[in-house]
Amino acid sequence: MRTIVIPIADGHQGEISYAQHIVREDDLVVLVHVDTMSVPHSERLPDLVMERTPSSVAKTQALLKQFSGAFPKSRVDWLKGGDPKQELVRYIQEIKPDLVVMGSKGPGIHKMVMGSISDHVMKHVSVPCVLIHEKQVVKEQ
């Protein structure tokens, strides 16, 4: 059995599509989400400031529930607070998965200044990582 970690953020599903093609029946898929809104406002990074509303929490929870049903064995880990870059690195180093499958939305001005989460994770963990660009599409065979 392999453990495959898939960090989940709003609106990107390429990593789920990709993972559905590589996951074996006995693999454990761990969907992980970092809840940046549990961090006090003054401690948040500028690119993470957004309003947490019941609808945004419900949307993320619905995505996680939907995605977890896409795999034979899965679980959802909801990490409370912190910088997503650091929290994901800490989490991945702690559970030592066999593979990390992450999405990337591509370059943007805040990523040029702050750096992307996926780039940071890939540079700071010692497990294989697959990066799926937002525009990549996995075609059915």
Side-chain angles (χ1 to χ4, degrees):
M1 176 179 88
R2 301 177 301 174
T3 300
I4 300 172
V5 168
I6 306 174
I8 298 295
D10 291 347
H12 184 50
Q13 300 180 23
E15 60 270 33
I16 298 298
S17 177
Y18 177 83
Q20 287 176 311
H21 292 276
I22 65 165
V23 169
R24 299 181 208 144
E25 195 170 304
D26 64 334
D27 288 343
L28 172 64
V29 175
V30 181
L31 303 170
V32 61
H33 176 75
V34 180
D35 182 4
T36 60
M37 296 300 109
S38 61
V39 177
H41 182 76
S42 61
E43 295 177 20
R44 289 188 220 151
L45 296 174
D47 65 333
L48 299 178
V49 176
M50 61 182 174
E51 291 303 313
R52 181 182 195 189
T53 62
S55 65
S56 68
V57 172
K59 179 181 176 183
T60 301
Q61 289 173 334
L63 278 174
L64 290 168
K65 184 176 180 181
Q66 172 194 345
F67 294 159
S68 67
F71 304 102
K73 293 182 185 177
S74 66
R75 78 169 192 247
V76 173
D77 288 349
W78 188 284
L79 307 180
K80 298 282 184 185
D83 174 3
K85 295 174 187 178
Q86 299 300 325
E87 289 301 312
L88 286 171
V89 167
R90 180 197 58 75
Y91 176 82
I92 291 165
Q93 289 173 335
E94 182 180 303
I95 71 163
K96 297 174 179 58
D98 298 291
L99 179 67
V100 177
V101 179
M102 295 188 72
S104 172
K105 293 184 178 186
I109 190 69
H110 75 278
K111 289 183 183 178
M112 292 176 151
V113 175
M114 302 296 290
S116 76
I117 294 170
S118 55
D119 184 56
H120 181 84
V121 170
M122 290 178 71
K123 288 179 180 175
H124 292 91
V125 299
S126 59
V127 300
C129 296
V130 175
L131 185 62
I132 305 299
H133 192 274
E134 180 178 43
K135 294 180 180 166
Q136 267 182 298
V137 177
V138 177
K139 296 183 181 183
E140 294 293 326
Q141 298 282 335

